[in-house]
Amino acid sequence: MKQNPKRETPLVSFVSGPVVKASPGHLLSMNEMVEVGAQRLVGEVIGLEGDTATIQVYEDTTGLKPGTEVLGQKMPLFVELGPGLIGQIFDGIQRPLDVLKERWGDFIKRGKTSFALSREKVWRFEPKIQPGSLVTAGTILGQVRETEAVTHKILVPPNVSGEVKRIVPPGNYTLEEVIAEVETQSGLVVPLRMFHKWPVRMPRPYRKRFMPTVPLLTGQRVIDTFFPLAKGGTAAIPGGFGTGKTVTQHQLSKWADADIIIYIGCGERGNEMTGVLTDFPRLLDPRTQRPLIERTVLIANTSDMPVAAREASIYTGITMAEYFRDQGYDVALMADSTSRWAEALREISGRLEEMPAEEGFPAYLASRLAAFYERSGRVQTLSDEMGSVSIIGAVSPPGGDFSEPVTMHTKRFVQCFWALDKELASARYFPAINYLESYSAYVSAVSDWWTEKTGPEWQELRERAVQILQEDAKLQNIVKLLGEEALPDDQRRIIEGAKLIKNDFLQQSAFDPVDTYCQPLKQFYLLKTIMHFIKRLHDIVSARIPLFRAMELPVVEKIHRAKYTIKGEEPEPFLEIMTEIDQQMDALLERSREPTHESSR
Amino acid sequence: MSLQGKTDMNTTTVTAPGPEFMGLDKIQGPLVVIQGIKDVGYGERVEIVTSSGETRQGRVLAISREAAVIEVFHGTSGLDQEKTRVRFLGRPFEMVVSKEEVLGRIFNGLGAPIDGGPPPFQGQARNVNGLPINPVARAYPEDFIQTGISTIDGMNTLVRGQKLPIFSGSGLPHNDLAMQIVRQARLLTEESNFAVIFAAMGVRHEEAEAFRKSFEESGVLNNVAMFLNLADDPAVERLIAPRVALTAAEYLAFEEGLHVLVILTDMTNYCEALREVATSKGEVPSRKGYPGYLYSDLASIYERAGRIHGRKGSVTQIPILTMPDDDITHPIPDLTGYITEGQIVLDRTLFRKGIYPPVNVLPSLSRLMSDGIGEGKTREDHKNISSQLYAAYSKAKQVERLASIIGEEDLSVTDKKYFEFSKRFEQEFVNQGRDENRSIFDTLDLGWELVMTFPESELVRVTPEEIEKYGKTSHSGNQE
Ligand SMILES: Nc1ncnc2c1ncn2[C@@H]1O[C@H](COP(=O)(O)OP(=O)(O)OP(=O)(O)O)[C@@H](O)[C@H]1O
Ligand SMILES: [Mg+2]
């Protein structure tokens, strides 16, 4: 196997896990992709010093020998962007896992593989421009109906512009075929295909950035109504193990009203990716009635896969997200978990013997996190469409303690913070989002949208509900010491009211066939109904009727069940309940005014 | 087929050709450094022959053009710098596996037999590190396993192909619980081909013996393979023991079609061995001195569980770990919980109350539960009654705290009910005999009996129909 390498090839000089050194290093450049050793393991140059290159290898290095060749690929780590992404599952460096399975069987081996996007598959391409037109980066050349749900726009790559010399007529083409030729100003004719390559560590260009103002509706009440995310925004879900990060992200992937979902399983469980792969082809998108898989791209670097590819997986995902944004789509990216990515950074950094900062993490942890979240945003694309990338990152703090570096730094760079709570999770109260610790900076930004839908009431209802929950939290401190009985009825009213908000509004089971998804107007009317009841409780207390009387009214049971029984988002069934509330409350008040009644003391 | 794509049919641990070198340049803790080597690969297996002729096993941890750092599994004591010979075997650590030669046998932590029988040689040599299962190939685990234990079946259901650890504390009866699970575990629907793989890491001789006896008594010994690294065996071998065991498990499950239950005990000892090696390498430690890659390392063990499309068997893991100081936020249980599909947490307070198994259901969890239960699998009300029990027990714990402040007598009527519930839940639902094998239906009915002590307005997690069907009919006679 060991042919005499040509003099000018870098050779492996050191191996320790995923970190490999090679010299002479001047033959390689920073961030260049390389193939290492006889097995041709994929790697990337992450340091150059003296004449030694440091390489992180994205595959298991067992058996790798010093003295074997390192082949530079003359380009940085990139992904292929074009038809064939949707519905696919890739590993951290965009190797298609179904192709790997065909090739190697049920276990993932290593070494060189095929292309990320199939070269054989035929796509129906429809041109959208004429020969002679001037195109610049991002111009839409044509489109491919990739799935029923997604029309894939074929873009001029970000580094090309000029005059279209030739474009193919509508028809079936593979990714290998040239579909257009563009002559640049310098007279160079660039052949264009339906896909292009883009380096993952470089953000893709856009024209202009806008403030996120449109809510990303998730169908999860605690999020949409209390801590909303906006399209193009950022959110973090921190929480100890088993508190619901993954389930929340799966819920968002299922029900968020984004056009495209990029789901990155970064250092997490294999079965969770399998779960998505089994569920998504079966579940329908409530808006398009098409299977969810038709708008989803999955990236899986499970915890048992090589750690360096985990570091890359985040960038592979965000680059794809930007690419769909550039086609004018709203993209939501889930990263589960960013802590595992940070740990991959730490592991590589440790093997490089860099100076550690907090808890062994490298000093550049904060800037890497910032740069990642910065790739979100609502933008005007190069082709003048509006598109957005929203990022939702799970954070897995050691011991569930939010004062650790990854949570702390993430908090600085995100606008929504959905703090998961161990106590709530252990009582099986889900979503275990702690409503006192969580926040969203988008509340006022999205309130215009809600006002347009519901009138000015939304904001007011929301504020009153938040207020009750806060008062309740204070009262709970007393209850803990003295019991609920010790409180006067006007304070117990708050406690009972808060219970309704918590149990009948905020609590939402991901596994209930109806309640897993709640339409925006259903959220509004449900909250309105509950707040109406709470308001009427006030009358009861003022009339000195014992509070439990009101809580025993038959309509209370209806409120409890409303989230399961009312399926649509029309106002009528809720208005009916509100009428019943009034009737039953009025009757109660009426009875109490009768002089014979016991409670009219 | 072998996992590395290499088909050495008859490679055993005996001498194999490979470069051999004399003398060590440095000895430090469990590591040695050797200079002037050639043609050696990262991760390769090594044999070290001491001056007295004894052979020890090792593995290449880092390698440069001139030198290799080697981890020595039997420890370095007694090695001398000059006369030690080092032989590189040209391949990673492997285990030869075949059904006949593995089941019913006892091996040491490196996979060498210690039952007097010959080493397995007919089967395939497999890299003990295994390979990641392609997520596309995985089949989602959803077959309910009845363990006969209410806190597990009713509240934290185990399914085939799951990894569900027991978080315990020193002196708590985790071994009894594990043995009871092994004795009682079965699928509701079928009796099947099964095997048990038992890997001990740094446990006492009596504990391993207790397991062996329990297997013997229940008549399954011929379906069991034991891999023993006992407390007085070299700590570094603990790093290999679970991997050797899982290599056997994967083979039996995915090649021979058996349903394999793997018990790994005690993962805390494993992690301590890992810390020891990391420290002697001079690595920058992360929390509590454990290496920063503890998560990835543990994942390379725990992820070796599951089912695969088109293959009959499954690997179900029940790792056991003792939480140092009963602290669930300690890195070992913490990182384990982040990888496994739930955890069964044992609790010292319950233990002191004489409750067996002392499972605290509140911090316990089975993530695969929702897919393994319900109509057609267990019973339609399973999800809701379990959720109701959770809600009630966690409320009851708050009430207990309140009662300890204001006194039991001053509790409200409802709170008194919660107070009572808590006691009965622990005494009747959690508590059961070491040989008591409850059917899932008994468990669910018992749950209903307990929650029916509350007024219906408290039962917000179950439906009125369920209350009618399961709460009122099945044991109306039992209620005061
Ligand atoms: N919205 C929800 N509805 C119902 N159950 C939920 C919900 N969220 C979480 N759960 C329950 O909690 C369990 C743990 O949730 P999940 O797997 O999302 O935790 P996690 O925070 O991702 O944990 P880890 O960090 O270990 O991956 C789930 O298996 C499920 O039983
Ligand atoms: Mg998770």
Side-chain angles (χ1 to χ4, degrees):
Chain A
M1 271 305 284
K2 258 185 70 182
Q3 334 98 312
N4 238 355
K6 268 186 267 144
R7 261 212 55 71
E8 285 296 276
T9 312
L11 302 178
V12 172
S13 60
F14 172 83
V15 188
S16 163
V19 171
V20 168
K21 293 192 175 164
S23 54
H26 71 265
L27 300 172
L28 300 169
S29 54
M30 190 63 183
N31 291 121
E32 183 175 349
M33 239 172 137
V34 292
E35 288 176 8
V36 181
Q39 300 255 21
R40 297 191 144 200
L41 307 176
V42 181
E44 182 186 359
V45 177
I46 55 167
L48 287 169
E49 202 184 316
D51 209 10
T52 300
T54 304
I55 296 162
Q56 67 175 353
V57 176
Y58 293 121
E59 300 178 81
D60 180 16
T61 53
T62 301
L64 185 60
K65 291 181 176 173
T68 51
E69 288 179 325
V70 173
L71 304 173
Q73 303 295 296
K74 305 285 169 237
M75 59 180 136
L77 182 68
F78 64 86
V79 286
E80 293 185 351
L81 301 167
L85 288 172
I86 301 285
Q88 184 51 272
I89 177 166
F90 299 99
D91 77 356
I93 49 172
Q94 212 198 6
R95 297 186 302 182
L97 288 176
D98 57 348
V99 176
L100 297 198
K101 178 170 183 284
E102 253 165 59
R103 162 132 6 149
W104 288 328
D106 297 336
F107 295 86
I108 296 180
K109 300 184 185 165
R110 45 186 194 165
K112 215 174 152 61
T113 52
S114 65
F115 298 111
L117 300 177
S118 164
R119 297 299 194 267
E120 285 94 52
K121 188 154 186 189
V122 180
W123 299 98
R124 172 131 198 112
F125 174 76
E126 271 173 60
K128 288 283 172 200
I129 48 161
Q130 315 300 322
S133 35
L134 291 177
V135 295
T136 54
T139 307
I140 295 169
L141 288 171
Q143 63 186 35
V144 167
R145 191 82 187 266
E146 186 167 358
T147 64
E148 290 285 330
V150 176
T151 301
H152 200 120
K153 318 250 175 76
I154 307 300
L155 307 177
V156 175
N159 40 14
V160 177
S161 64
E163 188 191 329
V164 176
K165 284 281 151 198
R166 185 173 81 88
I167 183 146
V168 293
N172 293 333
Y173 303 93
T174 66
L175 293 194
E176 293 284 17
E177 291 172 81
V178 173
I179 49 135
E181 281 168 349
V182 172
E183 187 176 334
T184 64
Q185 264 191 334
S186 50
L188 201 73
V189 176
V190 187
L192 297 181
R193 296 178 170 79
M194 281 185 280
F195 78 105
H196 64 268
K197 297 175 181 174
W198 187 261
V200 296
R201 298 188 195 279
M202 192 189 291
R204 288 173 64 90
Y206 52 83
R207 202 170 307 289
K208 202 172 154 200
R209 209 178 238 276
F210 290 88
M211 283 300 289
T213 53
V214 182
L216 182 79
L217 297 168
T218 66
Q220 310 304 301
R221 290 184 291 268
V222 61
I223 293 177
D224 293 350
T225 303
F226 280 69
F227 310 108
L229 176 57
K231 287 183 174 139
T234 49
I237 320 178
F241 62 80
T243 49
K245 298 178 291 296
T246 304
V247 173
T248 307
Q249 292 202 325
H250 282 189
Q251 286 296 90
L252 265 54
S253 310
K254 287 173 186 166
W255 311 127
D257 67 339
D259 302 308
I260 306 285
I261 301 288
I262 311 278
Y263 189 97
I264 312 171
C266 174
E268 293 290 313
R269 303 172 183 84
N271 275 333
E272 290 172 347
M273 299 311 292
T274 309
V276 175
L277 278 176
T278 10
D279 284 351
F280 279 36
R282 298 195 295 231
L283 292 170
L284 298 185
D285 182 339
R287 296 172 312 142
T288 59
Q289 294 305 319
R290 297 297 310 169
L292 288 169
I293 196 75
E294 291 191 2
R295 62 161 194 181
T296 308
V297 186
L298 299 169
I299 294 161
N301 175 276
T302 55
S303 58
D304 54 344
M305 293 189 194
V307 68
R310 191 181 303 166
E311 191 271 338
S313 66
I314 291 280
Y315 297 102
T316 297
I318 191 77
T319 307
M320 291 181 190
E322 288 173 339
Y323 170 67
F324 284 106
R325 172 203 70 191
D326 292 346
Q327 299 172 38
Y329 288 125
D330 291 316
V331 185
L333 175 138
M334 317 288 152
D336 186 13
S337 156
T338 60
S339 293
R340 305 300 163 221
W341 168 73
E343 281 165 15
L345 280 184
R346 174 169 71 187
E347 182 171 342
I348 307 281
S349 164
R351 298 216 188 228
L352 296 175
E353 293 172 1
E354 292 173 341
M355 261 300 268
E358 312 139 279
E359 303 207 4
F361 287 107
Y364 46 79
L365 170 68
S367 59
R368 294 276 170 93
L369 273 170
F372 167 61
Y373 282 106
E374 197 52 27
R375 289 176 76 168
S376 67
R378 179 158 168 261
V379 305
Q380 185 179 346
T381 68
L382 296 180
S383 55
D384 292 323
E385 304 204 35
M386 291 301 285
S388 69
V389 173
S390 313
I391 300 183
I392 297 109
V395 185
S396 316
D401 173 5
F402 291 176
S403 64
E404 57 89 43
V406 182
T407 319
M408 293 301 279
H409 289 306
T410 302
K411 214 169 171 175
R412 290 162 49 202
F413 311 126
V414 298
Q415 303 297 310
C416 279
F417 192 74
W418 299 324
L420 297 176
D421 184 315
K422 201 143 214 159
E423 288 264 317
L424 294 178
S426 70
R428 302 306 191 256
Y429 178 96
F430 291 116
I433 295 179
N434 181 315
Y435 46 78
L436 298 172
E437 245 183 288
S438 302
Y439 57 79
S440 161
Y442 300 115
V443 176
S444 55
V446 303
S447 68
D448 282 350
W449 183 92
W450 283 95
T451 305
E452 200 176 294
K453 290 258 162 187
T454 67
E457 239 183 310
W458 178 78
Q459 214 169 351
E460 188 209 313
L461 275 178
R462 186 187 170 277
E463 271 161 25
R464 269 173 45 215
V466 169
Q467 201 184 343
I468 289 188
L469 290 174
Q470 280 167 353
E471 281 175 42
D472 170 71
K474 278 190 222 137
L475 293 174
Q476 289 298 340
N477 292 328
I478 305 176
V479 170
K480 258 186 220 141
L481 294 174
L482 301 172
E484 233 177 277
E485 307 278 273
L487 297 177
D489 264 6
D490 66 332
Q491 291 187 339
R492 292 187 68 182
R493 179 182 76 98
I494 302 291
I495 294 201
E496 292 298 336
K499 252 190 224 164
L500 290 180
I501 300 176
K502 286 187 265 186
N503 289 332
D504 302 334
F505 187 80
L506 293 180
Q507 193 193 35
Q508 186 175 3
S509 169
F511 304 119
D512 184 88
V514 174
D515 207 31
T516 180
Y517 169 73
C518 187
Q519 303 89 327
L521 288 183
K522 177 173 166 186
Q523 301 187 24
F524 170 75
Y525 290 117
L526 181 59
L527 186 61
K528 187 170 162 154
T529 309
I530 292 171
M531 294 311 290
H532 183 65
F533 183 84
I534 296 175
K535 198 156 110 202
R536 293 299 316 260
L537 277 184
H538 187 72
D539 303 340
I540 301 294
V541 174
S542 310
R544 294 168 180 248
I545 303 173
L547 193 65
F548 73 86
R549 282 280 166 74
M551 300 313 295
E552 282 172 2
L553 292 176
V555 72
V556 175
E557 184 61 28
K558 278 215 171 143
I559 300 177
H560 289 332
R561 307 277 165 214
K563 61 182 172 186
Y564 305 114
T565 50
I566 302 177
K567 301 199 167 79
E569 56 176 339
E570 294 74 32
E572 288 78 18
F574 294 98
L575 296 178
E576 254 168 54
I577 299 183
M578 282 186 259
T579 315
E580 275 181 58
I581 293 175
D582 285 335
Q583 286 165 351
Q584 295 179 14
M585 290 274 196
D586 289 344
L588 192 59
L589 289 166
E590 197 59 42
R591 259 178 284 148
S592 76
R593 275 189 217 110
E594 288 163 18
T596 51
H597 202 272
E598 19 120 53
S599 69
S600 55
R601 278 168 292 164
Chain B
M1 186 205 79
S2 135
L3 287 181
Q4 271 306 330
K6 192 189 289 182
T7 345
D8 293 354
M9 292 305 279
N10 51 1
T11 44
T12 60
T13 56
V14 285
T15 338
E20 193 175 309
F21 302 88
M22 185 81 156
L24 306 173
D25 290 273
K26 193 169 161 192
I27 305 177
Q28 182 180 21
L31 308 181
V32 299
V33 177
I34 173 168
Q35 301 264 359
I37 48 143
K38 242 184 70 194
D39 205 28
V40 169
Y42 173 74
E44 211 169 274
R45 184 169 185 173
V46 179
E47 279 179 3
I48 294 143
V49 186
T50 66
S51 50
S52 60
E54 179 205 347
T55 302
R56 296 183 189 177
Q57 308 293 326
R59 172 168 67 175
V60 176
L61 273 192
I63 187 165
S64 70
R65 274 200 218 179
E66 314 78 38
V69 181
I70 296 162
E71 168 179 50
V72 184
F73 288 119
H74 250 83
T76 50
S77 78
L79 292 189
D80 75 66
Q81 264 187 288
E82 261 141 51
K83 286 195 234 98
T84 304
R85 280 179 298 139
V86 176
R87 195 184 295 138
F88 292 90
L89 300 188
R91 35 167 222 278
F93 238 95
E94 288 171 338
M95 162 95 192
V96 175
V97 280
S98 72
K99 190 169 160 188
E100 294 72 28
E101 293 177 306
V102 168
L103 288 181
R105 305 282 313 270
I106 305 179
F107 303 89
N108 72 7
L110 297 181
I114 50 172
D115 55 1
F121 64 91
Q122 295 174 9
Q124 312 166 338
R126 298 178 152 227
N127 183 344
V128 299
N129 288 321
L131 288 170
I133 302 179
N134 190 328
V136 174
R138 279 184 186 271
Y140 201 77
E142 52 189 8
D143 298 327
F144 170 69
I145 299 178
Q146 178 172 296
T147 66
I149 296 161
S150 292
T151 42
I152 298 179
D153 295 352
M155 313 278 287
N156 297 287
T157 317
L158 175 67
V159 300
R160 221 179 227 172
Q162 183 170 16
K163 38 191 181 288
L164 187 64
I166 299 175
F167 286 10
S168 186
S170 51
L172 299 183
H174 42 266
N175 289 342
D176 290 355
L177 178 59
M179 286 184 255
Q180 191 173 0
I181 294 173
V182 171
R183 278 197 309 272
Q184 300 182 172
R186 63 184 190 87
L187 278 174
L188 258 197
T189 43
E190 50 177 302
E191 288 296 324
S192 53
N193 257 348
F194 74 97
V196 177
I197 299 283
F198 176 83
M201 289 149 282
V203 306
R204 285 176 301 119
H205 185 271
E206 306 89 88
E207 291 182 68
E209 180 55 24
F211 271 100
R212 200 197 59 79
K213 248 183 130 168
S214 156
F215 297 144
E216 191 172 31
E217 280 163 16
S218 43
V220 296
L221 206 51
N222 283 335
N223 296 354
V224 179
M226 300 183 81
F227 295 84
L228 304 181
N229 166 279
L230 300 178
D232 53 357
D233 287 331
V236 212
E237 276 186 26
R238 283 163 207 164
L239 301 183
I240 291 290
R243 298 187 160 86
V244 172
L246 285 163
T247 302
E250 283 173 342
Y251 170 78
L252 294 172
F254 301 133
E255 305 297 329
E256 299 287 345
L258 302 183
H259 293 294
V260 186
L261 186 64
V262 183
I263 310 271
L264 304 170
T265 182
D266 175 330
M267 289 305 291
T268 302
N269 297 334
Y270 171 88
C271 295
E272 275 163 7
L274 192 70
R275 174 169 67 177
E276 187 183 325
V277 172
T279 313
S280 22
K281 278 193 275 183
E283 289 173 352
V284 183
S286 164
R287 286 172 72 217
K288 299 227 156 117
Y290 291 91
Y293 51 80
L294 181 58
Y295 175 85
S296 301
D297 188 278
L298 284 173
S300 73
I301 294 175
Y302 296 141
E303 273 291 310
R304 294 173 77 176
R307 293 164 59 217
I308 294 180
H309 280 298
R311 301 194 189 222
K312 268 212 198 119
S314 61
V315 177
T316 307
Q317 272 191 34
I318 304 193
I320 298 172
L321 59 85
T322 46
M323 300 181 278
D325 289 329
D326 291 350
D327 176 11
I328 198 170
T329 67
H330 183 281
I332 296 171
D334 190 49
L335 295 178
T336 297
Y338 272 123
I339 302 163
T340 52
E341 284 145 349
Q343 64 280 336
I344 303 294
V345 183
L346 303 191
D347 182 291
R348 203 165 294 279
T349 318
L350 289 174
F351 178 65
R352 291 208 183 106
K353 288 186 193 168
I355 286 164
Y356 171 88
V359 174
N360 184 352
V361 295
L362 294 179
S364 300
L365 169 70
S366 163
R367 293 158 195 268
L368 302 182
M369 177 165 175
S370 58
D371 298 282
I373 63 171
E375 205 174 348
K377 290 176 172 162
T378 54
R379 210 167 74 185
E380 54 174 352
D381 57 319
H382 192 158
K383 191 178 74 183
N384 284 353
I385 181 66
S386 147
S387 178
Q388 184 64 63
L389 286 165
Y390 267 107
Y393 188 56
S394 87
K395 172 91 198 278
K397 285 285 138 189
Q398 286 172 14
V399 171
E400 273 185 4
R401 279 194 288 272
L402 177 64
S404 70
I405 302 172
I406 65 172
E408 207 185 315
E409 315 76 53
D410 287 342
L411 290 177
S412 71
V413 184
T414 318
D415 281 356
K416 280 203 180 105
K417 292 227 158 93
Y418 277 101
F419 195 76
E420 268 311 300
F421 170 84
S422 172
K423 278 198 221 148
R424 286 192 64 191
F425 180 76
E426 290 170 5
Q427 292 296 345
E428 297 172 34
F429 189 91
V430 178
N431 195 30
Q432 67 184 86
R434 280 175 168 70
D435 286 313
E436 188 180 348
N437 191 350
R438 291 185 192 153
S439 81
I440 178 64
F441 307 108
D442 288 345
T443 290
L444 297 178
D445 289 344
L446 183 55
W448 274 107
E449 186 184 330
L450 296 177
V451 301
M452 287 312 286
T453 54
F454 294 110
E456 276 180 41
S457 59
E458 290 295 307
L459 305 183
V460 293
R461 305 255 178 111
V462 289
T463 66
E465 297 77 35
E466 286 166 341
I467 294 179
E468 216 42 56
K469 187 160 169 196
Y470 298 103
K472 295 200 172 142
T473 52
S474 52
H475 27 247
S476 40
N478 293 348
Q479 282 171 13
E480 328 103 290

